[in-house]
Amino acid sequence: MTAPPTPVYRAISESIRDDILARRLLPGDRLPVETELAGRFGVSRSTVREALRELASQNLVETTRGATGGTFVVVPSTASLARSLTFGVEMMAASTDLTVVEMLEARELLEVPASRLASERGSDEDLQAIADYIEARSAEAAEGRQLLANWNLHLLIVKAAQNPLLELMAQPIFSVLQTRFAQVKASAAFRRQVEEDHRAIAEAVLMRSADNAAVLMHEHLERLRPSYQSFDTRLGGR
């Protein structure tokens, strides 16, 4: 059985995307006007517009109006790329092609090395943000406030690893897990254990004890595994 032919507009968008990825088109470059592109590819302007819409949805180009307007090549931001990846992970999770156990395995592969790197590379500003987080959580606990699920420490540690690709890969996993378990009423004992783990991990990172931070992060994620499996009602945990 032969695969269906690629739509013309998609072939055009893929051609332009290849030029962007190969840096034949650079950030800030203006694409030719629609009529010129239509002539180049031998298609109508409506087909060109559809191709440009697809490129815009991938955050590769943006169109502005006015005398100096046009369609320009852009560099996708970490936030926009994370949104795109998050959508893909959400679709996998919704179709049950992705289980909570698999997501936790991915977290371990990302966060254990990240905690080590954060200890070694984290800037003074990164470490101060981690210290401020722990202080704020301790103050909330001292006031008797209920500590709700909080992913900030994990995000701060991955950010402190000073590797934007790790940060990009981690954000969709955090986002999907947080969404799936937002309504879970975890026990006080579970929340207390998480806070204790977070404090120990943070202290290891702040002391720049890379090996200890990695071990503590691994142990924390392993402790989470059975709890998340028992919480899981949507991802088909196994």
Side-chain angles (χ1 to χ4, degrees), residues 12-140:
I12 296 170
S13 70
E14 288 176 354
S15 175
I16 296 173
R17 184 183 62 198
D18 288 345
D19 285 341
I20 293 172
L21 296 179
R23 297 185 66 79
R24 290 186 288 271
L25 287 170
L26 299 175
D29 282 355
R30 185 202 301 260
L31 296 185
V33 297
E34 289 179 2
T35 51
E36 184 176 339
L37 287 173
R40 177 187 300 179
F41 290 104
V43 298
S44 66
R45 290 179 61 185
S46 62
T47 300
V48 168
R49 289 193 200 103
E50 188 66 24
L52 295 179
R53 277 194 289 269
E54 179 158 281
L55 290 168
S57 72
Q58 297 168 359
N59 301 298
L60 291 173
V61 302
E62 63 180 1
T63 300
T64 60
R65 304 299 179 188
T68 60
T71 300
F72 298 87
V73 177
V74 299
V75 177
S77 66
T78 299
S80 65
L81 288 171
R83 285 194 295 272
S84 297
L85 286 175
T86 297
F87 177 73
V89 174
E90 286 174 340
M91 293 301 294
M92 289 180 68
S95 68
T96 70
D97 287 340
L98 184 65
T99 71
V100 68
V101 171
E102 290 163 344
M103 296 185 77
L104 291 174
E105 287 176 349
R107 282 190 66 184
E108 187 170 325
L109 290 170
L110 288 169
E111 292 191 70
V112 173
S115 63
R116 183 184 299 277
L117 292 175
S119 305
E120 296 170 343
R121 299 177 179 175
S123 67
D124 291 342
E125 292 78 9
D126 291 328
L127 299 192
Q128 187 60 55
I130 291 171
D132 290 345
Y133 164 86
I134 293 299
E135 183 178 351
R137 297 291 280 185
S138 297
E140 290 175 14

Side-chain angles (χ1 to χ4, degrees), residues 95-220:
S95 68
T96 70
D97 287 340
L98 184 65
T99 71
V100 68
V101 171
E102 290 163 344
M103 296 185 77
L104 291 174
E105 287 176 349
R107 282 190 66 184
E108 187 170 325
L109 290 170
L110 288 169
E111 292 191 70
V112 173
S115 63
R116 183 184 299 277
L117 292 175
S119 305
E120 296 170 343
R121 299 177 179 175
S123 67
D124 291 342
E125 292 78 9
D126 291 328
L127 299 192
Q128 187 60 55
I130 291 171
D132 290 345
Y133 164 86
I134 293 299
E135 183 178 351
R137 297 291 280 185
S138 297
E140 290 175 14
E143 293 170 3
R145 295 165 58 184
Q146 181 180 1
L147 295 178
L148 303 177
N150 194 305
W151 298 75
N152 284 354
L153 180 68
H154 292 274
L155 290 169
L156 290 170
I157 287 175
V158 173
K159 182 176 182 296
Q162 301 289 339
N163 184 321
L165 190 55
L166 282 178
E167 188 175 356
L168 176 62
M169 292 188 293
Q171 285 185 22
I173 299 173
F174 292 162
S175 177
V176 172
L177 283 172
Q178 187 171 20
T179 299
R180 292 297 182 266
F181 299 115
Q183 304 304 317
V184 168
K185 302 299 182 183
S187 68
F190 176 81
R191 294 196 304 271
R192 185 165 54 250
Q193 181 65 64
V194 168
E195 292 298 324
E196 290 174 359
D197 286 356
H198 281 186
R199 190 172 298 107
I201 294 166
E203 289 173 356
V205 172
L206 294 174
M207 294 177 65
R208 296 192 182 277
S209 178
D211 289 343
N212 195 30
V215 168
L216 289 170
M217 180 64 80
H218 171 75
E219 292 175 348
H220 172 57

Side-chain angles (χ1 to χ4, degrees), residues 222-238:
E222 283 299 304
R223 268 193 290 273
L224 288 179
R225 187 188 300 267
S227 295
Y228 271 92
Q229 282 183 268
S230 66
F231 294 157
D232 186 28
T233 58
R234 296 185 63 182
L235 295 184
R238 60 171 184 257

